Each structure stands twice: as C-alpha cells, then as structure tokens.
Coordinates of all heavy atoms in Angstrom, one line a residue:
M1 N -38.0 80.6 -6.0 CA -36.6 80.9 -6.0 C -35.9 79.5 -6.0 O -36.3 78.6 -5.3 CB -36.3 81.7 -4.7 CG -34.8 81.9 -4.6 SD -34.3 82.9 -3.1 CE -35.7 83.1 -2.1
L2 N -34.8 79.5 -6.7 CA -33.9 78.3 -6.7 C -32.7 78.6 -5.8 O -32.1 79.7 -5.8 CB -33.4 78.0 -8.1 CG -34.5 77.8 -9.1 CD1 -33.8 77.5 -10.5 CD2 -35.5 76.7 -8.8
V3 N -32.4 77.6 -4.9 CA -31.2 77.7 -4.1 C -30.4 76.5 -4.2 O -30.9 75.4 -4.4 CB -31.5 78.0 -2.6 CG1 -32.2 79.4 -2.5 CG2 -32.4 77.0 -2.0
A4 N -29.1 76.6 -4.1 CA -28.2 75.4 -4.2 C -26.9 75.7 -3.6 O -26.4 76.8 -3.4 CB -28.0 75.0 -5.7
D5 N -26.2 74.6 -3.2 CA -24.8 74.6 -2.8 C -24.2 73.4 -3.4 O -24.8 72.8 -4.3 CB -24.7 74.7 -1.2 CG -25.1 73.4 -0.5 OD1 -25.4 72.4 -1.2 OD2 -25.1 73.4 0.7
A6 N -23.0 73.0 -3.0 CA -22.3 71.9 -3.6 C -23.0 70.6 -3.4 O -22.7 69.6 -4.1 CB -20.9 71.9 -3.1
N7 N -23.9 70.5 -2.4 CA -24.5 69.2 -2.0 C -26.0 69.1 -2.3 O -26.5 68.0 -2.4 CB -24.3 69.0 -0.5 CG -22.8 69.0 -0.2 OD1 -22.0 68.3 -0.8 ND2 -22.5 69.7 0.8
I8 N -26.7 70.2 -2.4 CA -28.2 70.1 -2.5 C -28.7 71.2 -3.3 O -28.1 72.3 -3.4 CB -28.8 70.1 -1.1 CG1 -30.3 69.6 -1.2 CG2 -28.7 71.4 -0.4 CD1 -30.9 69.3 0.1
T9 N -29.8 70.9 -4.0 CA -30.5 71.9 -4.8 C -32.0 71.9 -4.4 O -32.6 70.9 -4.3 CB -30.4 71.6 -6.3 OG1 -29.0 71.4 -6.7 CG2 -31.0 72.6 -7.2
L10 N -32.5 73.1 -4.2 CA -33.9 73.2 -3.7 C -34.7 74.3 -4.4 O -34.1 75.3 -4.9 CB -33.9 73.6 -2.2 CG -33.2 72.6 -1.3 CD1 -33.1 73.2 0.1 CD2 -33.9 71.3 -1.2
V11 N -36.0 74.1 -4.5 CA -36.9 75.1 -4.9 C -37.7 75.6 -3.7 O -38.2 74.8 -2.9 CB -38.0 74.5 -5.9 CG1 -39.0 75.6 -6.4 CG2 -37.3 73.9 -7.1
L12 N -37.7 76.9 -3.5 CA -38.5 77.6 -2.5 C -39.7 78.2 -3.2 O -39.5 79.2 -3.9 CB -37.7 78.6 -1.7 CG -36.3 78.1 -1.2 CD1 -35.6 79.3 -0.5 CD2 -36.5 77.0 -0.2
S13 N -40.9 77.7 -3.0 CA -42.0 78.2 -3.7 C -42.6 79.5 -3.0 O -42.3 79.7 -1.8 CB -43.1 77.1 -3.8 OG -43.8 77.1 -2.5
G14 N -43.5 80.1 -3.7 CA -44.1 81.3 -3.1 C -45.1 80.9 -2.0 O -45.6 81.8 -1.3
N15 N -45.5 79.7 -2.0 CA -46.4 79.2 -0.9 C -45.7 78.7 0.3 O -46.3 78.2 1.3 CB -47.3 78.0 -1.4 CG -48.2 78.5 -2.5 OD1 -48.6 79.6 -2.5 ND2 -48.5 77.6 -3.5
G16 N -44.3 78.8 0.3 CA -43.6 78.3 1.5 C -43.1 76.9 1.4 O -42.5 76.4 2.3
D17 N -43.4 76.2 0.3 CA -42.9 74.8 0.1 C -41.4 74.8 -0.2 O -40.9 75.7 -0.9 CB -43.7 74.2 -1.1 CG -45.2 74.1 -0.9 OD1 -45.6 73.8 0.3 OD2 -45.9 74.4 -1.9
V18 N -40.8 73.8 0.3 CA -39.4 73.6 0.0 C -39.3 72.2 -0.7 O -39.6 71.2 -0.2 CB -38.5 73.5 1.2 CG1 -37.0 73.3 0.9 CG2 -38.6 74.9 2.0
L19 N -38.9 72.2 -2.0 CA -38.9 71.0 -2.8 C -37.5 70.7 -3.3 O -36.7 71.5 -3.6 CB -39.8 71.2 -4.1 CG -41.2 71.8 -3.8 CD1 -41.8 72.2 -5.1 CD2 -42.0 70.7 -3.1
E20 N -37.2 69.4 -3.3 CA -35.9 68.9 -3.8 C -36.2 68.0 -5.0 O -36.8 67.0 -4.9 CB -35.2 68.1 -2.7 CG -33.8 67.6 -3.2 CD -33.1 66.8 -2.1 OE1 -33.6 66.6 -1.0 OE2 -31.9 66.5 -2.4
P21 N -35.7 68.4 -6.2 CA -35.9 67.6 -7.4 C -35.2 66.3 -7.3 O -34.1 66.2 -6.7 CB -35.4 68.5 -8.5 CG -34.4 69.3 -7.9 CD -34.9 69.6 -6.5
E22 N -35.8 65.2 -7.9 CA -35.1 63.9 -7.8 C -33.8 63.9 -8.5 O -32.9 63.2 -8.1 CB -36.1 62.9 -8.5 CG -37.3 62.6 -7.7 CD -38.2 61.5 -8.3 OE1 -37.7 60.7 -9.1 OE2 -39.4 61.5 -8.0
D23 N -33.7 64.6 -9.6 CA -32.4 64.5 -10.4 C -31.5 65.7 -10.2 O -30.5 65.9 -10.9 CB -32.8 64.4 -11.9 CG -33.7 65.5 -12.4 OD1 -34.0 66.4 -11.7 OD2 -34.1 65.4 -13.6
G24 N -31.9 66.7 -9.3 CA -31.1 67.8 -9.1 C -31.2 68.9 -10.1 O -30.4 69.9 -10.1
V25 N -32.1 68.7 -11.1 CA -32.2 69.7 -12.2 C -33.5 70.5 -12.0 O -34.6 69.9 -11.7 CB -32.2 69.0 -13.6 CG1 -32.4 70.0 -14.7 CG2 -31.0 68.2 -13.7
M26 N -33.4 71.8 -12.1 CA -34.6 72.7 -11.8 C -34.6 73.9 -12.8 O -33.5 74.2 -13.4 CB -34.5 73.3 -10.4 CG -34.4 72.3 -9.3 SD -34.3 73.2 -7.7 CE -32.8 74.1 -7.9
A27 N -35.8 74.5 -12.9 CA -35.9 75.7 -13.8 C -37.1 76.4 -13.3 O -38.1 75.8 -12.8 CB -36.0 75.3 -15.2
I28 N -37.1 77.7 -13.4 CA -38.3 78.6 -13.1 C -38.4 79.6 -14.2 O -37.5 79.8 -15.0 CB -38.2 79.2 -11.7 CG1 -36.9 80.1 -11.6 CG2 -38.2 78.2 -10.6 CD1 -36.8 80.9 -10.3
G29 N -39.5 80.3 -14.2 CA -39.7 81.4 -15.1 C -40.6 81.0 -16.3 O -41.0 79.9 -16.5
S30 N -40.8 82.0 -17.2 CA -41.6 81.8 -18.3 C -41.2 80.7 -19.3 O -41.9 80.0 -19.8 CB -41.8 83.1 -19.1 OG -40.5 83.6 -19.5
G31 N -39.9 80.6 -19.5 CA -39.3 79.6 -20.3 C -38.8 78.4 -19.5 O -38.1 77.5 -20.0
G32 N -39.2 78.3 -18.2 CA -38.6 77.3 -17.3 C -38.9 75.9 -17.8 O -38.0 75.0 -17.7
G33 N -40.1 75.6 -18.4 CA -40.4 74.3 -18.8 C -39.5 73.8 -20.0 O -39.0 72.7 -20.0
F34 N -39.2 74.8 -20.9 CA -38.3 74.5 -22.0 C -36.9 74.2 -21.5 O -36.2 73.3 -21.9 CB -38.3 75.6 -23.0 CG -39.7 75.9 -23.6 CD1 -40.3 77.1 -23.4 CD2 -40.4 74.9 -24.3 CE1 -41.5 77.4 -23.9 CE2 -41.7 75.2 -24.8 CZ -42.2 76.4 -24.6
A35 N -36.4 75.1 -20.6 CA -35.1 75.0 -20.1 C -34.9 73.7 -19.3 O -33.9 73.1 -19.3 CB -34.8 76.2 -19.2
L36 N -36.0 73.4 -18.5 CA -35.9 72.2 -17.7 C -35.8 70.9 -18.6 O -35.0 70.0 -18.3 CB -37.2 72.1 -16.8 CG -37.2 70.9 -15.9 CD1 -36.1 70.8 -14.9 CD2 -38.5 70.9 -15.1
A37 N -36.6 70.9 -19.6 CA -36.5 69.7 -20.5 C -35.2 69.6 -21.2 O -34.6 68.5 -21.2 CB -37.6 69.8 -21.6
A38 N -34.6 70.7 -21.6 CA -33.3 70.7 -22.2 C -32.2 70.3 -21.2 O -31.3 69.5 -21.5 CB -33.0 72.0 -22.8
A39 N -32.3 70.8 -20.0 CA -31.3 70.6 -19.0 C -31.3 69.1 -18.6 O -30.3 68.5 -18.4 CB -31.5 71.5 -17.8
R40 N -32.5 68.6 -18.4 CA -32.6 67.1 -18.0 C -32.0 66.2 -19.1 O -31.4 65.3 -18.8 CB -34.1 66.8 -17.8 CG -34.6 67.2 -16.4 CD -36.0 66.7 -16.2 NE -36.4 67.1 -14.8 CZ -37.6 67.1 -14.4 NH1 -38.6 66.9 -15.2 NH2 -37.9 67.4 -13.1
D41 N -32.3 66.5 -20.3 CA -31.7 65.7 -21.4 C -30.2 65.8 -21.5 O -29.5 64.8 -21.6 CB -32.3 66.2 -22.8 CG -31.9 65.3 -23.9 OD1 -32.3 64.1 -23.9 OD2 -31.1 65.7 -24.8
L42 N -29.7 67.0 -21.3 CA -28.2 67.2 -21.3 C -27.6 66.5 -20.1 O -26.6 65.9 -20.2 CB -27.9 68.7 -21.3 CG -28.2 69.4 -22.6 CD1 -28.1 70.9 -22.4 CD2 -27.3 69.0 -23.7
H43 N -28.2 66.7 -19.0 CA -27.7 66.0 -17.7 C -27.6 64.5 -17.9 O -26.7 63.9 -17.4 CB -28.6 66.4 -16.6 CG -28.1 65.9 -15.2 ND1 -28.7 64.8 -14.6 CD2 -27.1 66.4 -14.4 CE1 -28.1 64.7 -13.4 NE2 -27.1 65.6 -13.3
K44 N -28.6 63.9 -18.6 CA -28.6 62.5 -18.8 C -27.7 62.0 -19.9 O -27.0 61.0 -19.8 CB -30.1 62.1 -19.1 CG -30.3 60.6 -19.2 CD -31.7 60.2 -19.4 CE -31.9 58.8 -19.5 NZ -33.4 58.4 -19.7
H45 N -27.7 62.8 -21.0 CA -27.0 62.3 -22.2 C -25.7 62.9 -22.6 O -25.0 62.6 -23.5 CB -28.0 62.4 -23.4 CG -29.2 61.6 -23.3 ND1 -29.2 60.2 -23.3 CD2 -30.5 61.9 -23.1 CE1 -30.4 59.7 -23.2 NE2 -31.2 60.8 -23.0
A46 N -25.3 63.9 -21.8 CA -24.0 64.6 -22.0 C -23.2 64.7 -20.7 O -23.0 65.8 -20.2 CB -24.2 66.0 -22.7
P47 N -22.8 63.6 -20.2 CA -22.1 63.6 -18.9 C -20.8 64.4 -18.8 O -20.4 64.8 -17.7 CB -21.9 62.1 -18.6 CG -21.9 61.4 -19.9 CD -22.8 62.2 -20.8
E48 N -20.3 64.7 -20.0 CA -19.0 65.5 -20.0 C -19.3 67.0 -19.7 O -18.4 67.7 -19.4 CB -18.3 65.3 -21.3 CG -19.0 66.0 -22.5 CD -20.2 65.3 -23.1 OE1 -20.5 64.2 -22.6 OE2 -20.8 65.8 -24.1
M49 N -20.6 67.4 -19.8 CA -20.9 68.8 -19.6 C -21.0 69.1 -18.1 O -21.7 68.3 -17.4 CB -22.2 69.2 -20.3 CG -22.1 69.2 -21.8 SD -23.7 69.6 -22.6 CE -23.7 71.3 -22.3
D50 N -20.4 70.2 -17.7 CA -20.6 70.6 -16.2 C -21.9 71.4 -16.1 O -22.6 71.7 -17.1 CB -19.4 71.4 -15.7 CG -19.2 72.7 -16.4 OD1 -20.0 73.1 -17.2 OD2 -18.2 73.3 -16.2
A51 N -22.3 71.7 -14.9 CA -23.5 72.3 -14.6 C -23.6 73.7 -15.3 O -24.7 74.0 -15.8 CB -23.7 72.5 -13.1
S52 N -22.6 74.4 -15.3 CA -22.6 75.7 -16.0 C -22.9 75.6 -17.5 O -23.7 76.4 -18.0 CB -21.3 76.4 -15.8 OG -21.3 77.7 -16.4
A53 N -22.3 74.6 -18.1 CA -22.5 74.4 -19.6 C -23.9 74.0 -19.8 O -24.5 74.4 -20.8 CB -21.5 73.4 -20.1
I54 N -24.4 73.1 -19.0 CA -25.8 72.6 -19.1 C -26.8 73.8 -19.0 O -27.7 73.9 -19.8 CB -26.1 71.5 -18.1 CG1 -25.3 70.2 -18.5 CG2 -27.6 71.2 -18.1 CD1 -25.4 69.1 -17.5
A55 N -26.5 74.6 -18.0 CA -27.4 75.7 -17.7 C -27.4 76.7 -18.9 O -28.5 77.2 -19.4 CB -27.0 76.5 -16.4
R56 N -26.2 77.0 -19.4 CA -26.1 77.9 -20.6 C -26.9 77.4 -21.8 O -27.7 78.1 -22.4 CB -24.7 78.2 -20.9 CG -24.5 79.1 -22.2 CD -23.1 79.5 -22.4 NE -22.5 80.2 -21.3 CZ -22.8 81.5 -21.0 NH1 -23.6 82.2 -21.8 NH2 -22.2 82.1 -20.0
R57 N -26.6 76.1 -22.1 CA -27.3 75.5 -23.3 C -28.8 75.4 -23.1 O -29.6 75.7 -24.0 CB -26.7 74.2 -23.6 CG -27.2 73.5 -24.8 CD -26.9 74.4 -26.1 NE -27.6 73.9 -27.2 CZ -28.4 74.6 -28.0 NH1 -28.4 75.9 -27.9 NH2 -29.0 74.1 -29.0
A58 N -29.2 75.1 -21.9 CA -30.7 75.0 -21.6 C -31.3 76.3 -21.8 O -32.4 76.4 -22.3 CB -30.9 74.4 -20.2
M59 N -30.7 77.4 -21.3 CA -31.2 78.7 -21.5 C -31.3 79.2 -23.0 O -32.2 79.8 -23.4 CB -30.4 79.7 -20.7 CG -30.7 79.6 -19.2 SD -32.4 80.0 -18.7 CE -32.6 81.6 -19.3
E60 N -30.2 78.8 -23.7 CA -30.2 79.1 -25.1 C -31.4 78.4 -25.8 O -32.1 79.0 -26.7 CB -28.9 78.6 -25.8 CG -27.7 79.5 -25.3 CD -26.4 78.9 -25.7 OE1 -26.3 77.8 -26.2 OE2 -25.4 79.6 -25.6
V61 N -31.7 77.1 -25.5 CA -32.8 76.4 -26.1 C -34.1 77.1 -25.7 O -35.0 77.4 -26.6 CB -32.8 74.9 -25.6 CG1 -34.1 74.2 -25.9 CG2 -31.6 74.2 -26.1
A62 N -34.3 77.4 -24.4 CA -35.5 78.1 -24.0 C -35.7 79.4 -24.7 O -36.8 79.8 -25.1 CB -35.5 78.3 -22.5
A63 N -34.6 80.2 -24.8 CA -34.7 81.5 -25.5 C -35.1 81.4 -27.0 O -35.7 82.2 -27.5 CB -33.4 82.3 -25.4
G64 N -34.7 80.3 -27.6 CA -35.1 80.0 -29.0 C -36.5 79.6 -29.2 O -37.0 79.7 -30.3
I65 N -37.2 79.2 -28.1 CA -38.6 78.8 -28.1 C -39.5 79.8 -27.6 O -40.6 80.1 -28.1 CB -38.8 77.4 -27.4 CG1 -37.9 76.3 -28.0 CG2 -40.2 77.0 -27.3 CD1 -37.8 75.1 -27.2
C66 N -39.2 80.4 -26.4 CA -40.1 81.3 -25.7 C -39.7 82.7 -25.9 O -38.5 83.1 -25.6 CB -40.0 80.9 -24.2 SG -41.0 82.0 -23.1
V67 N -40.6 83.5 -26.4 CA -40.3 84.9 -26.7 C -40.0 85.7 -25.4 O -39.5 86.8 -25.5 CB -41.4 85.6 -27.5 CG1 -41.5 84.9 -28.9 CG2 -42.7 85.6 -26.8
F68 N -40.4 85.2 -24.3 CA -40.3 85.9 -23.0 C -39.0 85.6 -22.3 O -38.7 86.1 -21.2 CB -41.5 85.7 -22.0 CG -42.8 86.1 -22.6 CD1 -43.7 85.1 -23.1 CD2 -43.1 87.4 -22.8 CE1 -44.9 85.5 -23.6 CE2 -44.3 87.8 -23.3 CZ -45.2 86.9 -23.8
T69 N -38.2 84.7 -22.9 CA -36.9 84.2 -22.3 C -35.8 85.0 -22.9 O -35.6 85.0 -24.1 CB -36.7 82.7 -22.4 OG1 -37.8 82.0 -21.8 CG2 -35.4 82.3 -21.8
N70 N -35.0 85.7 -22.1 CA -33.9 86.6 -22.6 C -32.8 85.7 -23.1 O -32.4 84.7 -22.4 CB -33.5 87.5 -21.4 CG -32.6 88.6 -21.9 OD1 -31.8 88.4 -22.8 ND2 -32.7 89.7 -21.1
D71 N -32.2 86.1 -24.2 CA -31.0 85.4 -24.7 C -29.7 86.0 -24.3 O -28.6 85.6 -24.7 CB -31.1 85.2 -26.2 CG -31.0 86.5 -26.9 OD1 -31.0 87.6 -26.3 OD2 -31.0 86.4 -28.2
S72 N -29.7 87.0 -23.4 CA -28.5 87.6 -22.8 C -28.2 86.8 -21.5 O -28.9 87.1 -20.5 CB -28.6 89.1 -22.6 OG -28.8 89.7 -23.8
I73 N -27.3 85.9 -21.6 CA -27.1 84.9 -20.5 C -25.9 85.2 -19.7 O -24.8 85.3 -20.3 CB -27.1 83.5 -21.0 CG1 -28.4 83.2 -21.7 CG2 -26.9 82.5 -19.8 CD1 -28.4 81.9 -22.6
L74 N -26.0 85.4 -18.4 CA -24.8 85.6 -17.5 C -24.9 84.5 -16.4 O -25.9 84.4 -15.7 CB -24.9 87.0 -16.9 CG -23.8 87.2 -15.8 CD1 -22.4 87.2 -16.4 CD2 -24.1 88.5 -15.1
I75 N -23.9 83.7 -16.3 CA -23.9 82.6 -15.4 C -22.8 82.9 -14.3 O -21.6 83.1 -14.7 CB -23.7 81.3 -16.0 CG1 -24.8 80.9 -17.0 CG2 -23.5 80.2 -15.0 CD1 -24.7 79.7 -17.8
E76 N -23.2 82.9 -13.1 CA -22.2 83.1 -12.0 C -22.1 81.7 -11.3 O -23.1 81.1 -11.0 CB -22.7 84.2 -11.0 CG -22.7 85.5 -11.6 CD -23.0 86.6 -10.6 OE1 -22.5 86.5 -9.5 OE2 -23.7 87.6 -11.0
T77 N -20.9 81.3 -11.0 CA -20.7 80.1 -10.3 C -19.9 80.3 -9.0 O -19.2 81.3 -8.9 CB -19.8 79.1 -11.2 OG1 -18.6 79.7 -11.5 CG2 -20.6 78.7 -12.4
I78 N -20.2 79.5 -8.1 CA -19.6 79.5 -6.8 C -18.8 78.2 -6.6 O -19.4 77.1 -6.7 CB -20.6 79.7 -5.6 CG1 -21.4 81.0 -5.8 CG2 -19.9 79.6 -4.3 CD1 -22.5 81.1 -4.9
E79 N -17.5 78.4 -6.4 CA -16.7 77.2 -6.2 C -17.0 76.5 -4.8 O -17.2 77.2 -3.8 CB -15.2 77.5 -6.3 CG -14.8 78.1 -7.7 CD -15.0 77.2 -8.8 OE1 -14.8 75.9 -8.7 OE2 -15.4 77.6 -9.9
A80 N -17.0 75.2 -4.8 CA -17.2 74.5 -3.6 C -15.9 74.7 -2.7 O -14.8 74.7 -3.2 CB -17.3 73.0 -3.9
P81 N -16.1 74.8 -1.4 CA -15.0 75.0 -0.5 C -14.1 73.8 -0.4 O -14.6 72.7 -0.6 CB -15.6 75.3 0.9 CG -17.0 74.8 0.8 CD -17.4 74.8 -0.7
A82 N -12.9 74.0 -0.3 CA -11.9 72.9 -0.2 C -12.1 72.2 1.2 O -12.4 72.8 2.2 CB -10.5 73.4 -0.3
D83 N -12.0 70.9 1.2 CA -12.2 70.1 2.4 C -11.0 70.2 3.3 O -10.0 70.4 3.1 CB -12.5 68.7 2.1 CG -13.9 68.5 1.5 OD1 -14.8 69.3 1.8 OD2 -14.1 67.6 0.7

C-alpha cells in the first residue's frame, strides 16, 4: 500500500515493512515497474509537471506496455492544509 501526505511518501509492505523512497516516487501493482520508471524520469526532467500530471502520464505509459494495467485512470488529490 502507498501512503502519502504533503510532507512524506511511504510504502507499507505486506510483510510490515515501512519504506521511504529516496526520491519520493513510488509505484505498485502489475505495471508498477513501468509506471515507476516513467514517473522517475518525468519527476527529474519535467519540473513543470505537478504530482498529479506525473502520475497520470506514468500510468498511461504503464498501460501502453503492460496488458494488466488499466487505462481508465482516475486521480484523486488532497490539498495540503493551509498553515
């Protein structure tokens, strides 16, 4: 399971491990490797893209490669609370 807030992003594994990625970019599932590669590249080379845009494009890339990745993408965002 992936969990995140405005400050931290974590992976909660089925074994009980809690992992924090070095670059804040994560992916899971059958097309997770493809989505992760695309998202890392976009995060590094397209600084104008926000997290939602990166996630959408990474999922589109994964869906184009992996037959088990759905191309019906719905992204929900949670706004950071005002200080």
Side-chain angles (χ1 to χ4, degrees):
M1 175 177 10
L2 306 180
V3 295
D5 68 9
N7 302 310
I8 193 167
T9 306
L10 301 169
V11 177
L12 307 178
S13 79
N15 295 327
D17 300 318
V18 179
L19 308 169
E20 181 179 4
E22 290 182 21
D23 56 5
V25 180
M26 304 178 301
I28 58 173
S30 58
F34 303 119
L36 181 60
R40 282 186 173 159
D41 186 66
L42 290 166
H43 185 255
K44 183 175 181 179
H45 297 291
E48 73 282 357
M49 292 179 75
D50 64 8
S52 180
I54 289 173
R56 178 174 298 283
R57 184 63 191 130
M59 287 299 300
E60 290 169 350
V61 168
I65 298 170
C66 176
V67 298
F68 300 107
T69 300
N70 193 328
D71 63 357
S72 296
I73 302 166
L74 172 67
I75 297 177
E76 293 187 37
T77 59
I78 299 171
E79 299 297 324
D83 291 331

